[in-house]
Amino acid sequence: MVRKTLERKISRRKFLGTSAASGAALAATGTGLSRVSFAAGHTIKIGFLAPLTGPVSAWGKPGLDGCLIWADWVNAKGGVKIGGKSYKIEFVGYDNEYDAGKAKTGATKLIKEDGVKFIMMLGGDPWPGVEKIAAREGMLFSTLLPSDLSPDTKTLLAPCEVHPIYNVTGVEWLAENKKNLKTAAICAQDDSLGKPSVATYLAAFEAAGIKMVDAPLFFDPATTDFAPVMTKLLAKKPDILCLDTCYADYVHPLCEQAFQQGYKGQIISCTADFYQKIIEKTSKDFMEGFVFQFPDFDDPALNSKAVNFVKPNEFYAEYAKRYGAKEWGAVSWEYASIMDLWADAAAKAGSAEPGPVLKAMKAGGTGKHAFGDAKWWGKELFGIDNALVGNWPVVVIEGGKAKIKAFKSIPAWWDKHSKLMIKHMTALGQMWNQR
């Protein structure tokens, strides 16, 4: 079950104090930019509080790697200009191991000892350990999981990923392009990532007229043998096998089991991190047509003028050069895209302090999301308009390579089917006032 991410575990000690400066020379060489000297004290520290080891590290460690590239590029160009001065950006990482207690310790250290001005998190199970600290300190946090949001989380933003709401776009695309698919089966780990995602997929399938062959199969996060899970999923011969927002360490063995048990139907999943490794353990034919939500950034579709991520193809090439193309995953670019929004807001505010940056980031009710202009939204679902929502890509594996097939509008789906989403979120106890 354990993929290579766990083979390359890095201790928390190594990541405490992780600095963008470590790769500055490499970035200057790789981008053709000269190194820039910064005056003493002209450094802004950003906290990176996420799982860097363990089974959820696929949604933390690659994001820190991407941030180091972002910082190297920005610093090589002169840093971020705030209030007439140029500031170098330095990331300070802390491995919360996807644990609320360790996240609490990490947040305290980052704020009190390291003096960070902004903290990025994956979110999910660790967020409850941080919520009171964020409120007390007035610190600006970001999450990739807007299900963390509530009316009480006034300094928490979901400025990039709108998990799990974007999953509706993959189902919508399937319904439009593969009309022969009529039934589905779904599984997920029983936790704060799996449950809201299942509710979202159930709403999307119902909106598309696709029937579930059975109730959602929730498995224990400690599961290591996925043969019985897959046997049960395939028992009623679904047209679609939905792997929900299963961690990479679950998606890989689930796909292997589906392959070994002879499944030949459609697969859809929130992510397909390190999908080349899945192909190696199954086959190109088996993975052909696999639908998920996260593109490789060498995709030419990302060169559209509507896309706000800076030089996506070059970013992917640099990432592949440093860490290997097979290590590219769902979050490799996401935290870096949040930093684009943060830097723009700090420049507009003339300050790196959390309060002014938050105000500047939400000014006008809109923002430049990585995949296009978007609006701050979420009050109906999360109790607060702190999620930046717009278009999201639908990605399909074709010939062993991820390819963007469409950019679909999340707000457009919501306008048609919001009652379905609220119904299924409520049924699984995932509305903000139930959590």
Side-chain angles (χ1 to χ4, degrees):
M1 177 182 80
V2 182
R3 52 172 173 68
K4 192 174 180 181
T5 297
L6 296 181
E7 296 171 1
R8 60 187 183 100
K9 284 186 178 180
I10 302 176
S11 69
R12 184 189 307 173
R13 181 179 301 174
K14 183 174 180 180
F15 274 96
L16 294 179
T18 296
S19 169
S22 61
L26 173 63
T29 302
T31 60
L33 298 170
S34 59
R35 296 182 66 178
V36 177
S37 297
F38 293 87
H42 285 190
T43 296
I44 295 172
K45 294 182 179 181
I46 306 295
F48 193 96
L49 181 60
L52 301 175
T53 60
V56 194
S57 61
W59 296 338
K61 175 61 169 58
L64 179 56
D65 292 340
C67 283
L68 296 181
I69 295 173
W70 184 93
D72 288 346
W73 285 8
V74 167
N75 291 340
K77 290 178 181 179
V80 177
K81 293 185 179 180
I82 302 172
K85 297 179 181 179
S86 293
Y87 292 86
K88 172 184 175 181
I89 301 298
E90 178 180 322
F91 287 96
V92 184
Y94 192 98
D95 184 3
N96 68 28
E97 300 179 43
Y98 203 63
D99 176 83
K102 291 174 182 176
K104 180 179 180 180
T105 301
T108 301
K109 175 190 178 295
L110 291 170
I111 295 170
K112 298 295 188 181
E113 297 181 24
D114 298 303
V116 302
K117 299 299 185 182
F118 174 45
I119 298 178
M120 292 187 289
M121 294 183 68
L122 166 63
D125 289 353
W127 172 248
V130 175
E131 185 173 355
K132 290 183 180 180
I133 297 172
R136 182 177 67 246
E137 300 293 336
M139 177 57 64
L140 180 60
F141 281 78
S142 70
T143 180
L144 298 187
L145 306 176
S147 51
D148 292 336
L149 300 175
S150 77
D152 296 328
T153 59
K154 300 186 186 303
T155 63
L156 177 67
L157 297 176
C160 176
E161 183 173 343
V162 284
H163 178 272
I165 314 305
Y166 53 63
N167 286 331
V168 303
T169 63
V171 175
E172 185 179 46
W173 184 87
L174 270 182
E176 293 170 353
N177 291 275
K178 299 190 177 183
K179 299 181 185 297
N180 60 310
L181 303 177
K182 302 297 183 182
T183 62
I186 187 171
C187 72
Q189 70 277 356
D190 190 359
D191 69 0
S192 61
L193 274 165
K195 286 182 177 178
S197 186
V198 165
T200 299
Y201 273 114
L202 292 177
F205 284 132
E206 185 173 345
I210 296 171
K211 295 182 178 181
M212 306 305 298
V213 297
D214 209 341
L217 195 168
F218 288 103
F219 57 83
D220 190 317
T223 299
T224 58
D225 182 3
F226 287 90
V229 175
M230 188 54 59
T231 298
K232 187 172 182 180
L233 284 172
L234 301 184
K236 296 185 180 179
K237 303 185 184 304
D239 297 328
I240 302 169
L241 176 60
C242 179
L243 304 184
D244 193 67
T245 306
C246 287
Y247 307 141
D249 286 341
Y250 303 152
V251 171
H252 283 232
L254 283 167
C255 286
E256 290 177 50
Q257 281 298 321
F259 174 71
Q260 292 172 14
Q261 295 185 33
Y263 182 69
K264 299 184 183 299
Q266 176 68 51
I267 304 178
I268 186 170
S269 178
C270 177
T271 66
D273 295 294
F274 325 119
Y275 65 84
Q276 297 96 334
K277 298 176 184 179
I278 306 178
I279 292 173
E280 290 172 0
K281 294 178 180 178
T282 57
S283 71
K284 273 190 178 182
D285 288 343
F286 175 78
M287 291 295 288
E288 185 73 12
F290 189 112
V291 174
F292 64 115
Q293 306 289 167
F294 290 89
D296 291 344
F297 267 38
D298 59 350
D299 197 308
L302 292 173
N303 295 322
S304 165
K305 291 182 179 180
V307 171
N308 293 312
F309 194 93
V310 178
K311 297 184 177 180
N313 294 173
E314 291 88 340
F315 183 86
Y316 180 87
E318 181 64 22
Y319 191 97
K321 177 181 176 182
R322 295 193 190 189
Y323 312 113
K326 289 184 179 181
E327 298 304 318
W328 177 270
V331 305
S332 296
W333 59 274
E334 288 192 303
Y335 297 95
S337 75
I338 293 173
M339 285 305 302
D340 281 337
L341 290 165
W342 180 91
D344 286 345
K348 291 176 183 176
S351 170
E353 295 302 315
V357 170
L358 173 60
K359 184 177 180 180
M361 198 178 289
K362 291 191 66 181
T366 62
K368 291 190 175 297
H369 188 274
F371 298 129
D373 293 350
K375 65 179 181 179
W376 289 102
W377 171 92
K379 192 170 185 179
E380 290 180 86
L381 197 57
F382 310 123
I384 192 170
D385 289 329
N386 275 14
L388 191 59
V389 177
N391 290 338
W392 197 271
V394 177
V395 182
V396 179
I397 295 177
E398 294 182 342
K401 178 66 176 172
K403 181 178 180 181
I404 294 175
K405 301 297 289 186
F407 288 93
K408 306 283 287 183
S409 171
I410 299 168
W413 187 96
W414 174 264
D415 289 344
K416 295 178 183 177
H417 306 296
S418 60
K419 291 182 179 179
L420 284 177
M421 180 72 77
I422 292 172
K423 180 185 79 171
H424 286 286
M425 284 286 189
T426 301
L428 287 177
Q430 297 303 302
M431 292 295 290
W432 68 265
N433 56 357
Q434 295 176 298
R435 288 183 276 110

